[in-house]
Amino acid sequence: MRWSKALIPTLKETPADAVAPSHVLLLRAGMIRQLGAGAYTYLPLGFRVLHKAVAIIREEMDRAGALELLMPALQPVELWKESGRYDDYGDLLMRLMVSKSHPMALGPTHEEVVTEMARGLVRSYKQLPLTVYQIQTKFRDEPRPRFGVVRTREFLMKDAYSLGTNVQQLNVSYDAMFEAYCRIFDRCGVPYVVVEAESGPIGGDSSHEFMVPCSTGEDKVIQCSSCGYAANQERAEIGEPVAATLVVESNPAACQSVPTPGKRTIREVCEFLGVPESESAKLLVYMADGKPIAALLRGDHELNEAKLRRVAGAVAIAPADPAEVEKATGVPIGFLGPIGIKIPLYIDRAVASLSRLVVGGNALDVHTVNVIPGRDFPVPAVYDLRNAQEGDPCPRCGKALAIKAGLEIGHVFKLGTKYSRAMGARYLDEAGREVEIVMGCYGIGVNRIIAGAVEASHDKAGIVWPLALAPYQVVIAPLQVKNDAVMERTAAIEHALEAAGVDVLTDDRDQRPGVKFNDIDLIGIPLRVVIGERGLKDGVIELKWRDQAAAETISAEGAAEAILSRLATAMSRRAGECADRQRARNAAKSS
RNA sequence: CGGGGCGUAGCGCAGCCUGGUUAGCGCGCCUGCCUUGGGAGCAGGAGGUCACCAGUUCGAAUCUGGUCGCCCCGACCA
C-alpha cells in the first residue's frame, strides 16, 4: 500500500477529549475516529489491526474444535423474559421497537439465542459435546462509555458457547477454551494475567478473566507474587491473618457511650474522637432478597458485596437506603453499631481480632467506645467479607498480596444449567431420559485486545505494535520521492516483500524525512526500511525495529531477502515464546 | 444516575467576566518558490449558521433560561 493512496489521518496534537493512552494514540495514529459516545469508526489502519486479531482468534477457535456461526444481533425480548434476564440485565439491554410496536433487543450477549437454538437442534447425547462461536457486534447501553475503545456501546466480540451432557464434558470444553485463549493472547503479543473472577449476573459456578495489566484497566487485580494466586478484587479471598498477639488488657475498661453530634462517617467520628480508623468498626445494612441484613467491618476496610451475598445465601443484595435502614434498625444512618442489633449480623474476621474499638451507639449523635468484640456483642462466627487490599495475606500461601489495575480482554464461565433449565434445552441420554444441557460461555473483547496492546506497548513517539497485530509489518520510507534510483529501489523491495506475503506500507509522500519518521513511529509499524540517496551512493539502506533504538545498515543488493529473513527470525522467535508458554502451562497442569 | 468540566475552522486554543465594525492565533489544508536523514522557511489563499432553541437589548460568541452533545470522577458494568 502506498501511503499517498491510503487514509491515514495522523494528528500532531492530542485531541482534548482523549485521556487514556490507547485512546490518545489510536486517535493520533489515524486508526479510529469517534462518532458519538461509545461509538467509533475503525479507519483503514485500525481495521487492519482488528482483522489481524480476528484472524488469530478464528484460527485458534477452529483449532480448539469450535464451530463458527453467526447469530442475529436483533433478538426477541421474549427470549430474555424466558431466561429471566430481561429484568436482571436491566437498562444495559438496548431495546427498540420494530414495525412500530414490536419490542426487540440488540444482543449484549447470546446465551439466550444459543439456548434457543440448542433446544431446537440438540436431541441426543450423541450430538454432544458441541462448542459454537461467532465474531459479531454486541450492543450494550453503557451508562458511561469511556477510554475510547475500552468501553463502548457497540463493540466486536468473539463469543463461544459450549453444550455438553454433563459437568465432565463442560470441564473439558472449558479447559479447551481456556487453553485457546492463552494461545490467542500469546500469539497477539499482548501481556495478560489470568485471574479468578466473580461470575456476576451471567450466572454459573466458575469463571476466569484474562486481564491486561495497565493503568486504564477498570478492574482491580489481586496477585500474590510468591505463589501465583491471582483474582479479581471482586472475587479475591483473604488469607488468615498471621496470629497477631492480641493485647489483652488485664483490667479492660467497660464500654461507654459518648456524644458525637453530627459525626456520621467513620472519618468524622475517628477524627472527632482522636482514634485511628483501623480501631473503629462500621455497620452496613443491605437488603438481601428484600430482607435487611448487616455487615460489620473495620472502619478502614471496604465491603465486598459478592462475599456478603454468598455468606447471606442471597440471590441479590443491594445497599439499604436510609429509610430502609431506619425502618429495619430504628437507628438513623451514621450511628449504627453491633450492640443489641436486631437484624442478622455478619462480622468480618478483621473486626473480631481487634481488642478495642469504636462503634455506632445505635442512637442519634452517639457512638460507643472501648467496645470489645465477644464481651460487648456476641461473635458467634466470623467471615471474610471485605475487599482484599495491598499487603493482605494470600489465601494460598499467606504472603503479602499486591493490587494493580487490569483491563479485561477475555472471560470464561461455567454456566451449568442456568439457561438450559430456564429455557428448557434438554437432550435424551443413553437411557432415554430428558436431561438439561450443561453449558459454558467464553468471550473475548476484540476491540479491547487492540486497546490493551496499545496500553501495554507504546512510548513517547507512539504505538509499538506487536508484529502479529501491526496493520503493516514493514514500512518502507523512500526519502527522496523524486529520485529515480531511490524510487526504483523502493519499488523493487516493496514488490519482493509483497510477493512473499508481507504487509508493506510505502511512505511515498513528498514530505521531509522528519515528518515521515514521526508519523511512522506514531503508527507503530514494527520494521522500518529507509531508502535514501545518501545510503544508496554507498549501496546501503537502513533497517530499524520500532522497539529498538539502534538502526542497522544492510546492502541494498539482496535487501528484500535480508528483510524477509529478519522477519522470519522475529516470527519464529515469537512462535518459540508461545510454545514455551504452552509447555509451561502443560507442566503446571500435570503437576 | 450523583458530582465536576467543556462545546468558537479538520486538530489545539484565545476572545466571553466588562455586549458594539469584516470573530482571532498556532497546527493542518490549497497554490507558488525554496528546502530535503527526525514534525524547515517565505509569499499568497480557502475554510466558521461561535452546539441548538428561546429571551433580554438599538445591537449577543459575550447576558438570562432551556435543550442537546462530549469528557472526567463516582455509582453501575458477561
Side-chain angles (χ1 to χ4, degrees):
Chain A
M1 171 59 75
R2 292 279 165 136
W3 197 306
S4 64
K5 302 274 188 291
L7 178 60
I8 308 175
T10 57
L11 260 24
K12 257 191 195 178
E13 285 175 291
T14 301
D17 281 347
V19 174
S22 61
H23 189 194
V24 170
L25 289 173
L26 288 170
L27 232 32
R28 284 194 54 212
M31 308 232 172
I32 59 170
R33 204 103 312 177
Q34 183 178 40
L35 181 62
Y40 285 83
T41 294
Y42 280 77
L43 295 171
L45 220 48
F47 192 54
R48 288 185 71 94
V49 180
L50 210 54
H51 258 311
K52 298 256 174 142
V54 164
I56 291 170
I57 291 169
R58 189 169 273 135
E59 275 182 38
E60 293 299 335
M61 294 307 289
D62 291 348
R63 180 204 299 262
L67 307 172
E68 186 170 14
L69 45 64
L70 183 62
M71 294 178 270
L74 194 63
Q75 306 179 2
V77 296
E78 287 76 14
L79 277 184
W80 287 77
K81 289 178 175 161
E82 224 181 305
S83 71
R85 284 209 297 178
Y86 188 75
D87 295 320
D88 294 352
Y89 225 88
D91 293 336
L92 213 53
L93 186 65
M94 197 91 76
R95 296 146 209 249
L96 73 164
M97 284 297 174
V98 171
S99 295
K100 292 203 175 75
S101 63
H102 184 193
M104 294 196 84
L106 291 176
T109 171
H110 283 238
E111 284 77 11
E112 280 80 0
V113 178
V114 164
T115 309
E116 203 282 330
M117 183 185 78
R119 71 181 169 191
L121 297 181
V122 175
R123 301 264 85 109
S124 156
Y125 71 94
K126 292 176 192 162
Q127 293 170 279
L128 299 174
L130 177 68
T131 297
V132 296
Y133 79 99
Q134 62 175 346
I135 296 164
Q136 187 232 27
T137 300
K138 295 286 184 279
F139 297 87
R140 292 184 190 177
D141 195 353
E142 291 288 350
R144 190 182 157 202
R146 58 188 135 175
F147 305 145
V149 132
V150 165
R151 179 168 292 277
T152 52
R153 295 205 169 113
E154 177 183 337
F155 58 97
L156 194 63
M157 182 188 222
K158 188 290 300 174
D159 47 329
Y161 305 87
S162 67
L163 309 170
T165 53
N166 53 31
V167 172
Q168 286 69 37
Q169 284 195 350
L170 169 60
N171 289 341
V172 170
S173 301
Y174 187 89
D175 290 348
M177 285 296 112
F178 189 105
E179 174 61 22
Y181 276 32
C182 293
R183 293 182 52 93
I184 287 166
F185 301 133
D186 281 346
R187 281 185 60 190
C188 285
V190 181
Y192 64 95
V193 292
V194 185
V195 305
E196 294 178 15
E198 197 51 51
S199 45
I202 203 160
D205 309 325
S206 174
S207 165
H208 288 89
E209 286 168 335
F210 294 75
M211 299 278 199
V212 179
C214 63
S215 58
T216 298
E218 299 177 292
D219 290 278
K220 285 180 181 150
V221 173
I222 305 289
Q223 248 184 316
C224 175
S225 54
S226 179
C227 74
Y229 174 78
N232 194 312
Q233 191 184 46
E234 294 171 346
R235 180 77 191 185
E237 298 158 37
I238 301 170
E240 296 278 350
V242 190
T245 41
L246 255 175
V247 185
V248 182
E249 294 170 44
S250 54
N251 195 8
C255 66
Q256 189 188 351
S257 294
V258 296
T260 50
K263 310 295 180 194
R264 289 170 187 270
T265 67
I266 285 292
R267 179 164 302 163
E268 286 166 356
V269 170
C270 290
E271 220 162 75
F272 181 72
L273 296 173
V275 170
E277 292 180 22
S278 58
E279 292 179 18
S280 69
K282 58 186 169 190
L283 190 117
L284 305 169
V285 179
Y286 272 73
M287 301 305 285
D289 299 337
K291 296 200 186 85
I293 58 168
L296 189 69
L297 280 97
R298 224 170 74 179
D300 58 333
H301 284 160
E302 236 173 63
L303 175 75
N304 180 305
E305 293 189 5
K307 290 180 180 177
L308 178 61
R309 184 179 58 78
R310 272 194 297 275
V311 163
V315 176
I317 66 168
D321 61 44
E324 288 171 327
V325 170
E326 204 155 345
K327 187 169 171 238
T329 64
V331 180
I333 198 160
F335 304 97
L336 287 159
I339 301 174
I341 194 89
K342 295 290 190 301
I343 57 180
L345 176 63
Y346 300 95
I347 299 170
D348 184 69
R349 193 163 50 208
V351 172
S353 64
L354 291 173
S355 59
R356 188 173 61 182
L357 64 158
V358 174
V359 301
N362 283 335
L364 181 64
D365 293 343
V366 176
H367 279 78
T368 308
V369 300
N370 293 333
V371 171
I372 299 179
R375 182 192 72 175
D376 299 314
F377 62 91
V379 183
V382 293
Y383 305 94
D384 174 11
L385 294 180
R386 63 188 179 90
N387 276 339
Q389 294 178 333
E390 184 88 33
D392 277 334
C394 171
R396 300 276 165 75
C397 73
K399 297 272 168 42
L401 292 170
I403 183 167
K404 60 182 167 192
L407 174 66
E408 180 188 351
I409 54 173
H411 202 160
V412 291
F413 293 86
K414 292 180 184 174
L415 290 175
T417 55
K418 177 181 159 86
Y419 294 92
S420 48
R421 175 167 304 158
M423 297 179 59
R426 290 180 286 267
Y427 66 93
L428 289 176
D429 71 5
E430 294 92 324
R433 289 175 302 218
E434 280 216 322
V435 183
E436 279 150 5
I437 297 173
V438 180
M439 297 173 57
C441 74
Y442 317 92
I444 290 179
V446 186
N447 316 256
R448 282 191 176 177
I449 295 180
I450 311 308
V454 177
E455 291 286 339
S457 179
H458 65 270
D459 60 19
K460 275 202 193 87
I463 301 170
V464 184
W465 286 115
L467 192 51
L469 292 182
Y472 294 93
Q473 297 159 301
V474 176
V475 59
I476 306 176
L479 296 184
Q480 296 81 23
V481 297
K482 287 172 181 147
N483 177 302
D484 289 344
V486 168
M487 292 315 285
E488 278 161 24
R489 183 64 69 176
T490 297
I493 296 175
E494 180 186 30
H495 294 145
L497 293 180
E498 280 175 348
V502 176
D503 294 325
V504 186
L505 178 64
T506 301
D507 189 355
D508 60 337
R509 295 174 301 170
D510 188 7
Q511 290 285 358
R512 297 166 63 84
V515 173
K516 295 189 178 203
F517 291 151
N518 279 299
D519 269 348
I520 287 169
D521 285 348
L522 178 60
I523 67 173
I525 307 300
L527 183 57
R528 185 183 78 185
V529 180
V530 176
I531 302 173
E533 279 174 343
R534 214 172 67 186
L536 240 36
K537 260 183 216 149
D538 302 326
V540 297
I541 63 170
E542 181 200 280
L543 299 187
K544 182 182 169 299
W545 291 93
R546 179 64 178 85
D547 61 357
Q548 287 170 22
E552 174 193 13
T553 301
I554 66 165
S555 164
E557 286 308 319
E561 291 70 23
I563 293 164
L564 286 171
S565 100
R566 278 163 183 72
L567 277 177
T569 304
M571 285 190 276
S572 76
R573 193 190 312 125
R574 182 68 214 167
E577 285 165 11
C578 292
D580 288 347
R581 285 165 147 272
Q582 186 169 13
R583 268 191 293 278
R585 284 195 299 274
N586 289 339
K589 211 183 297 171
S590 59
S591 75

